C-alpha cells in the first residue's frame, strides 16, 4: 500500500445551525450518516464509513467529523440526530458484525429486555437491525442528561423499524424530560438535545458514540470528532501559541499552524471496505463450542489491532510544513492500541529509533500542564490527548521527517519498546505520517516552547474518602482454558480480594455532591487499561507496587486528566472532585473491554 501520497486532512470547523435566535447559546444540528470516503490512497477503492456532519450542511459529513469550536462560558447546544438510514428512509444495518450475545442495547428485547444480555438457545448470527447511537462529549463536565449515557441511546427515525423493538434506551425518557425541563428544547424521534456549559478549562475534548455494548463498532465505523474549548482565564492570549486553527467561514486553501490529529488503526478488505473480525477465532483461534456449549461470545474479540494507520481519515498522509513552530492536538482514537510516537528522519530506522526532534507537551485532557515538558516520545493510551508544540524553526527546507509509532501490535503491558515488547511493524503500523519541510512564508512570532508561561494550575483540595476499586478478567466457567470471557471492574473486600461486578450490579461508587475523593485502581490483570471517569477532570496522585516506593505521575501527567493508564500489578491513585449531581459511568477505554462489562455506573449525590 502506497504511503505519503495524499495530504493530511485538517478538519474544518463544524458550521452552526442557521437562524437561531438564542444569542447566548451556540446551536448545532449534527447527524450521523453513512457515506463513502477515500480513506485509502488514490487508485484504491473508496470506503463506506459513518461520520458526523451538520444536518443542514450536507457537504460537511466526514470521518472524522468537522471540529466543534467552543468558547469558554458560552454554552453549546447540539441536536444529535441518528440518520443511519438508506435513500428510501429505511434503517441501515451495521457495517460491522454486531455480537448480540453481549450485554448491549438489545433493541430486539423490546421495552422489557432492552439494555440486557439476551438468552439464546443456539449460537446466533450477527444482529442486522437498526443501529442505536448516543454521543458522549469525552472530557466534558456535563450534566447527566447531556453526558451521552450509555443506556440513553436511540434508533433512527425510520418507517421500517421492526415491530416490538425498543426505539430508545432505558434512560432516554428520563433524561429527555430533564433536558426539556432544563433547556426548553424538545427532543424528537431519532434525536437527542444535549447542552454543554463550557465552564471547564480551555482544553482538547472529543465526541464519540457511547451506545451500550456497541461503542467499539460505532467508533470504528467513524463516529468521532474534536471539540476544542478556547478562551477564559485558563487559556493563553492569541499569538502566544502557533495558529491559526480552522474557523467557521475560512476560505479554501488557508494555511494552519494549529492542527488536531486523531490517529487510529484500521484494516481493510480488497474492495476498500472496513474489516473487523467476524468471529472470536480471529483473536485466539477458538472456534467453539459457543451457545449452548460454552459461555464464550461467538463474535466479540477481547482486543482489536488494525493493520494500517489512519490519521484524520486517511492512511499514511503527508503534511507540508514550514520551518516554524506548530501546535498539534494529538488524540489516540484507536480501539485497543497504545501509541508511542516519535519524530524521526528515517521511517524504517531500526527500532527503537533515535528522535530527530522533541515534542514539547503543553497540555493533556484537562487543559494546560503546570509547565511545558520536553519529551523524545509520547506515550498515548486510547482516548488520551497530548497538546504539543513541534519546533521546526531550525530544520532546513527540503527535509523530510516522519511520525512513527513504537507501541506494540498487541495489548500494552507497560515497559519500553525493544526491551519489554517488540515495537509495531516498522513497515505498516509503525508509521503514521510524514512532514515535508518547505520555506518560511511569514515570520513566526510565537513564543518558544521552553519559554512559555502556562496559565496557573490549581491542584484539587484534600480528599475526604478513598475508594478501592478492582480491574480483573474472567475466563470461561465451562472451558477454563479459554479466556478472557469478559473484563470486569469492581471493588475490594476487607482482605484486599477483588469483588468483580458487572454493569447491572448495584451502584457502589456514590460520592456526595462536592466531595473530593481518591480512587485507587488495583489492576489484577496482565494488561494496562486506560481508565476514563465521566463528569470529572482528575489528578494522578501516584502509582504503587507492593514492596516498592510510590511512583509519582510522569511529568506529562502532572495536569488534569480524564483518562489514565492503570498498569498491571500496580495501584493507580487518582483524585477528583464530584460537583455535578447525577448518574455517570467509569470504564476502561479499550473499547472491546468497555463493550463487554468493563464499565460501571456511578452516582453523584
Amino acid at each position: 500500500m502506497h504511503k505519503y501520497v495524499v495530504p493530511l486532512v485538517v478538519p474544518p470547523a463544524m458550521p452552526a445551525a442557521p437562524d437561531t435566535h438564542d444569542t447566548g447559546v451556540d446551536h448545532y444540528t449534527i447527524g450521523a450518516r453513512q457515506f463513502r470516503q477515500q480513506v485509502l490512497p488514490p487508485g484504491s477503492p473508496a470506503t463506506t464509513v459513518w461520520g458526523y456532519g451538520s444536518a443542514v450542511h450536507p457537504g460537511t459529513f466526514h470521518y472524522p467529523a468537522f471540529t466543534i469550536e467552543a468558547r469558554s462560558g458560552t454554552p453549546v447546544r447540539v441536536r444529535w440526530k441518528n440518520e443511519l438510514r438508506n435513500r428510501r428512509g429505511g434503517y441501515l444495518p451495521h457495517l460491522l458484525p454486531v455480537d448480540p450475545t453481549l450485554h448491549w442495547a438489545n433493541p430486539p428485547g423490546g421495552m422489557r429486555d432492552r439494555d440486557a444480555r439476551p438468552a439464546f438457545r443456539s449460537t446466533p448470527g450477527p444482529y442486522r437491525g437498526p443501529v442505536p447511537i448516543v454521543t458522549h462529549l469525552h472530557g466534558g463536565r456535563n450534566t447527566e442528561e447531556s453526558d451521552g449515557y450509555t443506556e440513553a441511546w436511540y434508533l433512527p427515525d425510520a418507517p421500517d423499524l421492526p415491530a416490538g423493538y425498543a426505539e430508545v434506551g432505558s434512560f432516554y425518557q428520563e433524561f429527555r424530560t430533564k433536558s426539556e425541563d432544563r433547556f426548553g428544547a424538545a427532543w424528537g424521534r431519532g434525536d437527542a438535545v444535549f447542552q454543554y456549559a463550557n465552564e471547564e478549562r480551555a482544553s482538547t475534548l472529543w465526541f464519540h458514540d457511547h451506545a451500550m455494548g456497541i461503542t467499539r463498532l460505532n467508533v470504528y465505523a467513524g463516529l468521532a470528532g474534536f471539540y476544542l474549548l478556547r478562551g477564559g482565564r485558563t487559556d493563553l492570549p492569541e499569538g502566544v501559541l502557533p495558529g491559526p486553527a480552522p474557523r467557521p467561514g475560512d476560505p479554501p486553501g488557508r494555511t494552519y499552524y494549529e492542527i488536531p490529529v486523531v490517529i487510529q488503526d484500521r484494516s481493510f478488505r480488497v474492495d476498500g471496505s472496513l474489516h473487523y473480525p467476524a468471529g472470536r477465532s480471529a483473536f485466539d483461534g477458538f472456534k467453539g463450542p459457543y451457545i449452548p456449549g460454552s459461555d464464550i461470545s461467538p463474535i466479540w474479540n477481547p482486543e482489536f489491532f488494525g493493520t494500517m494507520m489512519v490519521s484524520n481519515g486517511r492512511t499514511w498522509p503527508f503534511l507540508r510544513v514550514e520551518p516554524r513552530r506548530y501546535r498539534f492536538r494529538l488524540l489516540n482514537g484507536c480501539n485497543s492500541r497504545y501509541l508511542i510516537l516519535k519524530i524521526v528522519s528515517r521511517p524504517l530506522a531500526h527500532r527503537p529509533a533515535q528522535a530527530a526532534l522533541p515534542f514539547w507537551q503543553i497540555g493533556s485532557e484537562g487543559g494546560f500542564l503546570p509547565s511545558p515538558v520536553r519529551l523524545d516520545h509520547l506515550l498515548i493510551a486510547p482516548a488520551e490527548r497530548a497538546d504539543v508544540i513541534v519546533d521546526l524553526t531550525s530544520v532546513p527546507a527540503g527535509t523530510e521527517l516522519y511520525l512513527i509509532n513504537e507501541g506494540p501490535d498487541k495489548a500494552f503491558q507497560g515497559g519500553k519498546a525493544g526491551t519489554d515488547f517488540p515495537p509495531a511493524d516498522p513497515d505498516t503500523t509503525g508509521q503514521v505520517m510524514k512532514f515535508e519541510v518547505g520555506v518560511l512564508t511569514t515570520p513566526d512570532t510565537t513564543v518558544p516552547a521552553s519559554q512559555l508561561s502556562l496559565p496557573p494550575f490549581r491542584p484539587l483540595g484534600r480528599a475526604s474518602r478513598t475508594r478501592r476499586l478492582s480491574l480483573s478478567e474472567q475466563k470461561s466457567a465451562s472451558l477454563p482454558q479459554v479466556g478472557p470471557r469478559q473484563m470486569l471492574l469492581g471493588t475490594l473486600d476487607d482482605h484486599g480480594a477483588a469483588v468483580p461486578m458487572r454493569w447491572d450490579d448495584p451502584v457502589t461508587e456514590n460520592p456526595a455532591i462536592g466531595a473530593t475523593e481518591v480512587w485507587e485502581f488495583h489492576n489484577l490483570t496482565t494488561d494496562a487499561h486506560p481508565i476514563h471517569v465521566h463528569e470529572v477532570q482528575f489528578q494522578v496522585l501516584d502509582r504503587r507496587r507492593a514492596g516498592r516506593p510510590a511512583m509519582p505521575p510522569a511529568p506529562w501527567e502532572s495536569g488534569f486528566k480524564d483518562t489514565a493508564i492503570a498498569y498491571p500489578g500496580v495501584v493507580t491513585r487518582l483524585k477528583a472532585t464530584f460537583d455535578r449531581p447525577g448518574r455517570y459511568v467509569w470504564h476502561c477505554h479499550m473499547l472491546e473491554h468497555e463493550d463487554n462489562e468493563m464499565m460501571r455506573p456511578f452516582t453523584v449525590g
Side-chain angles (χ1 to χ4, degrees):
M1 186 67 65
H2 296 296
K3 299 182 180 70
Y4 314 126
V5 295
V6 292
L8 177 77
V9 173
V10 180
M14 183 76 74
D19 301 325
T20 54
H21 303 290
D22 187 349
T23 56
V25 178
D26 292 340
H27 291 257
Y28 295 84
T29 300
I30 298 176
R33 295 181 185 173
Q34 178 172 299
F35 49 91
R36 289 176 65 76
Q37 181 172 310
Q38 194 66 47
V39 180
L40 298 169
S44 301
T47 302
T48 300
V49 296
W50 292 353
Y52 294 106
S54 171
V56 293
H57 299 85
T60 62
F61 283 82
H62 191 267
Y63 151 66
F66 287 13
T67 300
I68 297 179
E69 285 281 344
R71 299 168 293 166
S72 176
T74 300
V76 164
R77 182 179 298 170
V78 182
R79 183 176 298 276
W80 296 102
K81 299 176 70 69
N82 186 340
E83 297 183 322
L84 295 173
R85 302 186 297 253
N86 58 36
R87 293 181 179 178
R88 299 181 301 277
Y91 72 81
L92 286 167
H94 214 293
L95 292 174
L96 307 169
V98 177
D99 193 330
T101 70
L102 301 181
H103 187 144
W104 75 295
N106 192 34
M111 299 297 282
R112 188 185 69 176
D113 293 324
R114 60 187 170 174
D115 297 317
R117 184 184 293 269
F120 293 93
R121 295 182 178 180
S122 60
T123 302
Y127 168 79
R128 298 290 295 167
V131 177
I133 69 168
V134 63
T135 303
H136 168 57
L137 178 58
H138 185 123
R141 294 176 60 243
N142 314 312
T143 51
E144 61 174 348
E145 71 278 357
S146 295
D147 189 53
Y149 191 71
T150 189
E151 290 183 336
W153 53 265
Y154 45 96
L155 300 182
D157 180 9
D160 59 344
L161 296 181
Y165 274 41
E167 295 188 23
V168 299
S170 305
F171 279 83
Y172 178 92
Q173 190 57 51
E174 175 184 332
F175 291 156
R176 173 179 182 167
T177 300
K178 289 182 177 180
S179 176
E180 292 177 346
D181 289 346
R182 184 187 296 264
F183 303 118
W187 295 20
R189 191 177 187 221
D191 72 31
V193 181
F194 295 167
Q195 183 155 318
Y196 311 115
N198 296 322
E199 295 173 346
E200 53 266 60
R201 290 160 53 91
S203 53
T204 304
L205 312 178
W206 66 301
F207 54 92
H208 62 81
D209 181 75
H210 211 290
M212 168 65 77
I214 199 172
T215 298
R216 71 196 183 285
L217 304 177
N218 291 355
V219 173
Y220 189 87
L223 295 182
F226 281 98
Y227 184 110
L228 304 182
L229 178 57
R230 303 180 189 275
R233 292 178 297 176
T234 58
D235 205 352
L236 291 173
E238 189 170 341
V240 175
L241 299 177
R247 294 288 193 272
D250 278 352
R254 187 172 189 187
T255 300
Y256 300 110
Y257 304 119
E258 179 196 319
I259 301 173
V261 183
V262 53
I263 302 169
Q264 299 169 303
D265 55 344
R266 295 290 184 265
S267 294
F268 300 87
R269 297 186 180 89
V270 175
D271 65 0
S273 61
L274 288 169
H275 169 73
Y276 189 89
R280 169 69 184 234
S281 61
F283 175 74
D284 57 6
F286 179 70
K287 298 181 180 180
Y290 298 113
I291 299 171
S294 79
D295 52 6
I296 298 294
S297 292
I299 299 175
W300 175 76
N301 276 230
E303 289 104 26
F304 171 81
F305 299 92
T307 57
M308 300 185 190
M309 301 306 290
V310 177
S311 297
N312 287 358
R314 287 183 172 175
T315 53
W316 297 299
F318 68 85
L319 177 65
R320 291 194 174 97
V321 295
E322 300 176 23
R324 62 188 304 138
R325 285 176 283 275
Y326 282 76
R327 181 184 188 182
F328 294 103
R329 299 181 187 246
L330 302 175
L331 160 65
N332 182 345
C334 300
N335 280 30
S336 298
R337 180 185 296 273
Y338 282 68
L339 300 172
I340 301 177
L341 302 177
K342 272 183 187 173
I343 298 174
V344 301
S345 57
R346 294 184 296 117
L348 295 175
H350 178 74
R351 275 38 170 186
Q354 183 173 352
L357 279 179
F359 301 96
W360 284 91
Q361 185 165 349
I362 58 173
S364 55
E365 296 92 76
F368 289 109
L369 301 178
S371 59
V373 179
R374 187 185 189 278
L375 298 165
D376 286 337
H377 68 270
L378 297 173
L379 169 62
I380 312 180
E384 285 189 315
R385 283 87 75 202
D387 190 351
V388 301
I389 304 294
V390 175
D391 193 335
L392 298 162
T393 54
S394 62
V395 180
T399 301
E400 295 180 341
L401 297 170
Y402 299 86
L403 183 66
I404 67 167
N405 166 44
E406 294 185 341
D409 284 328
K410 60 179 183 178
F412 180 65
Q413 299 178 337
K416 295 182 179 181
T419 301
D420 301 297
F421 56 83
D425 182 349
D427 195 48
T428 55
T429 51
Q431 295 186 49
V432 180
M433 59 180 289
K434 175 184 178 182
F435 301 102
E436 298 179 353
V437 184
V439 297
L440 187 67
T441 59
T442 58
D444 185 352
T445 59
T446 62
V447 177
S450 61
Q451 300 175 22
L452 281 171
S453 179
L454 300 180
F457 178 84
R458 295 182 179 179
L460 297 174
R462 184 175 181 179
S464 59
R465 177 170 181 170
T466 297
R467 298 181 188 270
R468 299 196 302 165
L469 307 169
S470 63
L471 285 61
S472 57
E473 64 179 49
Q474 287 189 340
K475 291 189 174 183
S476 169
S478 55
L479 301 171
Q481 75 279 11
V482 180
R485 172 169 65 100
Q486 57 190 9
M487 315 294 184
L488 297 173
L489 303 173
T491 60
L492 296 180
D493 64 18
D494 292 341
H495 303 287
V499 183
M501 296 182 177
R502 293 176 175 81
W503 166 257
D504 55 359
D505 284 324
V507 170
T508 49
E509 289 70 59
N510 52 355
I513 299 174
T516 298
E517 297 191 350
V518 172
W519 287 20
E520 297 183 348
F521 299 102
H522 296 245
N523 185 355
L524 308 178
T525 78
T526 58
D527 297 335
H529 296 271
I531 298 299
H532 172 44
V533 184
H534 286 219
E535 193 264 332
V536 299
Q537 292 286 346
F538 54 71
Q539 288 181 261
V540 179
L541 295 180
D542 57 41
R543 293 182 174 89
R544 301 181 178 187
R545 192 186 296 270
R548 300 184 187 180
M551 298 172 288
W556 52 268
E557 296 180 306
S558 59
F560 285 114
K561 294 177 61 61
D562 59 47
T563 307
I565 301 172
Y567 289 94
V570 173
V571 180
T572 301
R573 302 172 71 243
L574 316 177
K575 181 163 65 172
T577 297
F578 299 87
D579 57 1
R580 296 191 179 227
R583 187 178 184 90
Y584 301 93
V585 301
W586 63 284
H587 59 86
C588 174
H589 219 286
M590 294 173 74
L591 299 184
E592 282 72 20
H593 294 183
E594 170 188 338
D595 274 351
N596 194 2
E597 299 289 359
M598 205 168 193
M599 177 164 58
R600 291 278 294 148
F602 72 92
T603 59
V604 180

